[in-house]
Amino acid sequence: MSGGSFSDTAIERLRGGRVLALTGAGVSAESGLATFRGPDGLWEGHDPATLATPEAFARDPKTVWKFYAARREAAAGASPNPGHRALAVLETELGDRFLLATQNVDGLHERAGSRRIVRLHGSIWRIRCTRCGDEYEELDLRASARCPCGGRRRPGVVWFGEPLPADAFDRAAEAASRADLVLVAGTSSIVYPAAGLPEIARRAGAWTVEINPQPTALSERVDERIAAPSGAALPALVEAAALGAS
Ligand code: BJW
Ligand code: ZN
């Protein structure tokens, strides 16, 4: 599929301005990972967005752990796609003019090479004890659900009603308020506060571009829409700006 045609404004701002990229589950769809609210959006009969809640964990921790164990396994078996890699190229080319704020917890951006990254919703590769608070990186897929202190462990992700990791939203909001260009890729833009970042940027004068094959809650409030998969559109953008050529 074509990567869509970006405006001159987007290309110019990419070449010379500050850029914030905001990503969601759709960016990993072409790596074979399920989105939250897609047509194939059920996991063993459960709505994933309902499983990703403190209430579900309190009621039925085994099912919630099974859901995250399955996602850890799927993510471990997946590879970054050209969309992830294009964002890593942008970071290499733009340096401190670039920041990636992701809602994704799968680690694929990091595996593609992104380092200037804010993880708004945590990581499935981190685990935290709900009793003693011990938090650590756990890459072993058979992570134990019990801490030595006797407490129950949980995935190090952000569920509905929980605050985002300290500083994560502030860093992203600061980048939004200073951005010349915002690229919003692969998100339905219904989950706040992440979904509010493009509006912060736009009010401060940024040009906002949505990359998503489907219209979303944000579509009518962006300057430009690229109706294409991010795995095609983001590399096309890098190429159009003649970045990452060497
Ligand atoms: C493609 C594609 C391809 C497909 N290429 N695209 C203001 C108004 C109303 C409500 C609120 C508000 N502020 C806060 C709230 C409450 C709540 C909220 O937003 N609710 C709304 C649903 C109404 N927010 C919260 O509770 C947040 N916390 C908070 O506000 O705390 C306040 C607080 C402060 C102090 C003390 C205590 C509290 C936390 C939100 C946490 C969200 N967590 C989850 C789970 C994370 C862990 C996990 O992954 O399991 O995050 S829910 C889920 O949704 C996940 C995602 O990151 C997030 C967003 O989903 P995303 O990424 O957009 O995926 P989809 O599936 O929705 O969309 C995929 C898109 O991709 C689609 O558009 C496709 O078309 C597209 N696509 N293929 C490009 N190839
Ligand atoms: Zn503990």
Side-chain angles (χ1 to χ4, degrees), residues 129 131-134 147-151:
C129 173
R131 184 184 288 172
C132 70
D134 182 38
C147 177
C149 85

Side-chain angles (χ1 to χ4, degrees), residues 84-212:
H84 296 109
R85 288 199 290 273
L87 289 167
V89 170
L90 288 186
E91 173 183 315
T92 305
E93 297 294 321
L94 274 57
D96 63 6
R97 287 197 285 121
F98 180 83
L99 186 72
L100 170 60
T102 187
Q103 299 168 84
N104 296 347
V105 298
D106 55 34
L108 289 183
H109 281 306
E110 292 88 337
R111 283 170 56 198
S114 288
R115 294 293 174 269
R116 295 184 55 79
I117 180 169
V118 173
R119 286 195 293 247
L120 295 166
H121 294 165
S123 166
I124 45 169
W125 302 110
R126 294 194 72 79
I127 287 184
R128 181 167 79 242
C129 173
T130 56
R131 184 184 288 172
C132 70
D134 182 38
E135 185 179 327
Y136 62 104
E137 184 176 77
E138 176 59 272
L139 304 180
D140 187 339
L141 292 175
R142 299 152 303 166
S144 157
R146 282 280 170 201
C147 177
C149 85
R152 198 179 279 289
R153 285 179 172 142
R154 56 162 285 177
V157 299
V158 182
W159 287 327
F160 284 116
E162 296 183 328
L164 273 50
D167 292 345
F169 185 73
D170 290 350
R171 256 188 91 195
E174 212 252 338
S177 67
R178 284 155 35 104
D180 299 295
L181 173 68
V182 178
L183 304 169
V184 186
T187 175
S188 56
S189 291
I190 61 171
V191 175
Y192 283 81
L197 289 166
E199 197 58 32
I200 293 175
R202 199 160 176 236
R203 282 207 199 116
W207 184 261
T208 51
V209 182
E210 178 177 63
I211 297 163
N212 195 314

